[in-house]
Amino acid sequence: MSEDVEATHNKLRALRQKNLNPEEFRLSDAELKKLDSSLKKNSAFIKKLKAFCDSNVESILKEVKTLNLSKYVSEAVQAVVHAVVEGKVKGSDMQSIIQIC
């Protein structure tokens, strides 16, 4: 296998492992309280999800680590579904959307 394909497979395996054992990666309540839960920043994040494109994946992943989205899970899910259903996510971008989820 080429190095690119092998790197992609390793990344997918790591994501799969995280999905199989989510308890290991969940934040405690104390850790969640340290994250930003402001309405303004969370609303801006949800808008980014609705207007998803492959070029803003890195910024979305960076923001996920700084925001407390526990109150906005349903809105985030709706934004992702909306982006996929409306056709804003291309087939080539599906890997990125999976990484975000």
Side-chain angles (χ1 to χ4, degrees):
M1 278 196 246
S2 72
E3 291 179 20
D4 291 338
V5 173
E6 191 171 328
T8 302
H9 283 286
N10 288 337
K11 193 184 293 186
L12 289 173
R13 281 188 206 107
L15 287 172
R16 174 77 172 145
Q17 196 59 36
K18 282 183 178 181
N19 285 332
L20 291 174
N21 302 313
E23 295 81 23
E24 292 179 27
F25 303 99
R26 286 207 176 111
L27 299 176
S28 68
D29 288 339
E31 291 170 321
L32 280 175
K33 288 181 182 179
K34 293 178 186 176
L35 299 175
D36 190 354
S37 61
S38 69
L39 179 62
K40 184 177 180 180
K41 288 192 177 181
N42 281 290
S43 295
F45 178 76
I46 299 299
K47 285 182 184 178
K48 269 189 183 179
L49 287 177
K50 284 182 182 176
F52 178 82
C53 65
D54 199 33
S55 62
N56 64 2
V57 171
E58 293 302 321
S59 67
I60 288 173
L61 290 174
K62 194 175 191 181
E63 275 189 73
V64 164
K65 294 177 183 176
T66 62
L67 294 174
N68 180 353
L69 294 163
S70 60
K71 296 177 185 174
Y72 306 96
V73 172
S74 62
E75 287 89 348
V77 170
Q78 287 175 348
V80 171
V81 169
H82 177 31
V84 172
V85 170
E86 293 293 318
K88 294 180 182 178
V89 178
K90 301 176 202 162
S92 60
D93 295 342
M94 285 306 289
Q95 186 61 39
S96 300
I97 204 86
I98 290 169
Q99 186 178 4
I100 291 169
C101 293

